[in-house]
Amino acid sequence: MTDWDEKLGQLESVSRSLEPGCDQRKDWISRSIDYAETFIDGLPDARTYVRDLGQSSVLDGAIPESPTPISELLDQLAESVDGPGINPASGGHLGYIPGGGLVPSALGDFLADVANRYSGVHFASPGAARMERQLVRWMADLAGLPAEAGGDLTSGGSTANLSAIVTARDAAGIRPADIPRSTIYMSRQVHHCVDKALRVAGLEECPLRFVPMDQRHRMEAAVLEAMIIADRENGMQPWLVVASAGTTDSGAVDPLLQISSICRKQACWLHVDAAYGGFFLLCEEGREALPGLQHADSIVMDPHKGLFLPYGSGAVLVRDEELLARAHRYQADYMQDAQPPEGGYSPADLSAELSRPFRGLRLWLPLKLFGLEPFRAALSEKLWLARYFHEQVAQLPGFEVGPYPDLSVVTFRYNPPQGDAEQANRKILQAVHDDGRIFISSTRLDGEFTLRVAILHFRTHRREVDYLLQILVSETAG
Ligand SMILES: *Cc1c(COP(=O)(O)O)cnc(C)c1O
C-alpha cells in the first residue's frame, strides 16, 4: 500500500522549488536587468570582436543536483558567453550580415515566455495566432503581395527558404520521377541555405542552372530566359527561379522586374530571397532599390536582420496562402478540437512546426512601442552610411571599391604598391580584428580576396564607419 500523503508530500516539497516566491523572482529579475543594463551601457566602448583563447572551462562541467546562486551564473555568462567572439549587439559589427537586438524584443520574449501562450493553433490562443497573422499581413502588404497572400514567422531565413521551396515544389507537383528533368535557375551568389533547403526538400538531384551575372553581381535576366527556353526545347521542365534581393556577399539586387515577367511567361515559380534586403522596403531609397519584389511567388525576409530583432526571427511570405497550407497542413485525431475558425489558418497549418515559441510578441512590441518612423530612418541611414563609406574608401590611396552599393554592403580591397595583394588584405583584416572596435569580414569575388562591410545594425552610425576608415588609413599609411 502506498502512503499517498507521504509519497506525494515529499515529492511536492521538492518540486515546488520550481515555483519560487515573489521575492526570489524579483531578485532574479532585477539582477538580470542589472546585468543587461551593464552590458548595454558598456557597448559604446566594448570590443566588437574578442578572439577566444579557449581558457574558460566553466561551461564544461556537469549540471549539479543542487542550486547555484544567480550572481555566480551571471558572472559565468559575462565571462564565458558574452565575452569571446563577435559581439552582435555592437554597432561596430559590420561583418557578414549583422543582426540586431532591440531591447523591447527581449521584453516581448520575457512576457511571451512567462505566459507561455501557445501560438501554433488558433483554438489554443486566438490572440497570439491573430497577432502573428496580423504581422504576416503587414509584411505581405509591405512587400506588395495581394490579399490572398499568407506566411509564417520562422526561426530565421534558412527555415523560411526551406518552407518556400517546399511550397514551390508541391505547387509544381514535382514527383521523384520528375526530378532529373526539373531544372532550377539561380546565380552563384545565392545564399548557401538555398542549396541546403533543396537538399532537405529532396530536390538535390534537380539540375541546377547557374545564370551568369553582370559586373555588379546581378543575374543576367536575358540569359536566364534563353537558358529556360533552351532547356525546354531539350525536354527539360524548368520550374523554379531563385533570385536574391540583396545577396549576402555584395548586397546585389537581381533585376526582379525582368525576372518576374520571364517567370510568368515561362510558368516558373519565382522565389526571392530577401532575407537581408526585404525590410529596406520601409524606406524610400530601399523601395527604389527593390522594384518588382511584389511579383514574387514567395519571399523570405528576416526581421532579425532588417528590423533589428534578436536572432530567431525570419519570415516566409507566399503569394497564395493556400499553396503554403497545402505543403504544410496535417490533421491528427488528437488535434480534432483545434479546427480553424471561419477558415483562417493557424500558424501550425503553415509551418513545419507544431509547438513553437510565440514569435509575434518580440516583433509586435518594438514595432508598436517605437512606431515605424525610427525604423524607416534607421534603414535609410544604413543605405546612406554605405554610400558614404563607398565614397570615402574610393578616395583612400591604394584602395579600390566594388560597385556602388545597391543596398548596404560595400566591397573593397587594397592594392599594395608591391607584394601580394591577398596577403596585404588579409593583414588589414587582421589589423581590424586586433583593434577590436569594428568587425568586418572578407569574401572572394570573381576569384579575388575581397574585404566587405555590411551596415545593418541599429547601433551603427557614422562614428563606427569613421573608426573603420581611420584604421584603414593607419594600416596602409607609409
Ligand atoms: C542571412 C541570410 C540567409 C540565412 O538566414 P538565417 O536567418 O541566417 O537562417 C539567407 N539568405 C540571405 C540572402 C541572407 O542574407
Side-chain angles (χ1 to χ4, degrees), residues 66-81:
S66 52
T68 312
I70 194 163
S71 55
E72 208 174 296
L73 298 175
L74 292 174
D75 287 347
Q76 290 178 10
L77 181 65
E79 190 194 322
S80 304
V81 180

Side-chain angles (χ1 to χ4, degrees), residues 84-149:
I86 304 167
N87 183 350
S90 163
H93 187 352
L94 311 181
Y96 311 114
I97 301 288
L102 291 175
V103 171
S105 285
L107 298 181
D109 282 350
F110 176 75
L111 296 171
D113 291 356
V114 169
N116 200 23
R117 281 286 159 177
Y118 182 77
S119 62
V121 175
H122 193 281
F123 169 78
S125 183
R130 235 179 251 136
M131 182 186 284
E132 296 205 344
R133 227 179 144 69
Q134 179 202 13
L135 289 163
V136 164
R137 187 63 251 161
W138 170 70
M139 289 183 212
D141 285 341
L142 179 65
L145 293 176
E148 315 79 71

Side-chain angles (χ1 to χ4, degrees), residues 211-230:
V211 184
M213 293 171 284
D214 66 14
Q215 296 206 318
R216 308 188 48 156
H217 313 289
R218 299 163 169 171
M219 188 187 283
E220 299 243 39
V223 185
L224 166 70
E225 182 160 38
M227 288 168 96
I228 293 176
I229 292 170

